């Protein structure tokens, strides 16, 4: 496993995971279940992280992350899913959580 990215929170990790999955990049999220551990564990150990199965995907994955980080600064484009109520970035055509379309 090759560490790709430390996310600020679990929602960010899931958003990124959604994009990587669309690109067909095999990956894994660690610390998915440790959000309640802040205060008990060293703080940085509780950040969710994304790991690559194949190091050869790194260049493509970095490109996706850079686009993702730029999109994250344009939060005014975000839209709310009518089905589950989660916010998705404006660059997403489907809900990152449940996969429903934007309309
Ligand atoms: Zn949804």
């Amino acid at each position: 496993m090759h560490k790709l990215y430390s996310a600020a929170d679990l929602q960010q990790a899931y958003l990124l995971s959604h994009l990587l999955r669309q690109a067909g990049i095999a990956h894994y999220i660690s610390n998915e279940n440790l959000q309640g551990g802040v205060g008990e564990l060293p703080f940085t150990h509780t950040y969710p992280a994304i790991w690559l199965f194949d190091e050869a995907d790194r260049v493509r994955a970095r490109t996706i992350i850079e686009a993702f980080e730029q999109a994250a600064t344009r939060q005014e484009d975000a839209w709310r899913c009518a089905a589950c109520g989660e916010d998705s970035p404006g660059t997403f055509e489907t809900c990152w959580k449940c996969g429903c379309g934007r309309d």
Side-chain angles (χ1 to χ4, degrees), residues 4-5 10-29 50 52 57 59-75 79 87-97 99:
L4 175 68
Y5 191 72
L10 202 52
Q11 185 181 27
Q12 190 189 40
Y14 282 145
L15 288 169
L16 207 46
S17 172
H18 174 88
L19 293 176
L20 292 171
R21 203 162 50 234
Q22 282 188 329
I25 296 174
H27 62 282
Y28 167 79
I29 300 174
I50 295 179
L52 292 175
D57 286 329
V59 172
R60 237 155 38 94
R62 285 302 318 175
T63 304
I64 290 169
I65 288 173
E66 279 163 26
F68 170 77
E69 286 179 334
Q70 283 171 13
T73 64
R74 298 198 308 265
Q75 278 299 324
W79 56 279
D87 291 327
S88 288
T91 51
F92 281 40
E93 291 306 317
T94 58
C95 172
W96 64 269
K97 190 174 188 189

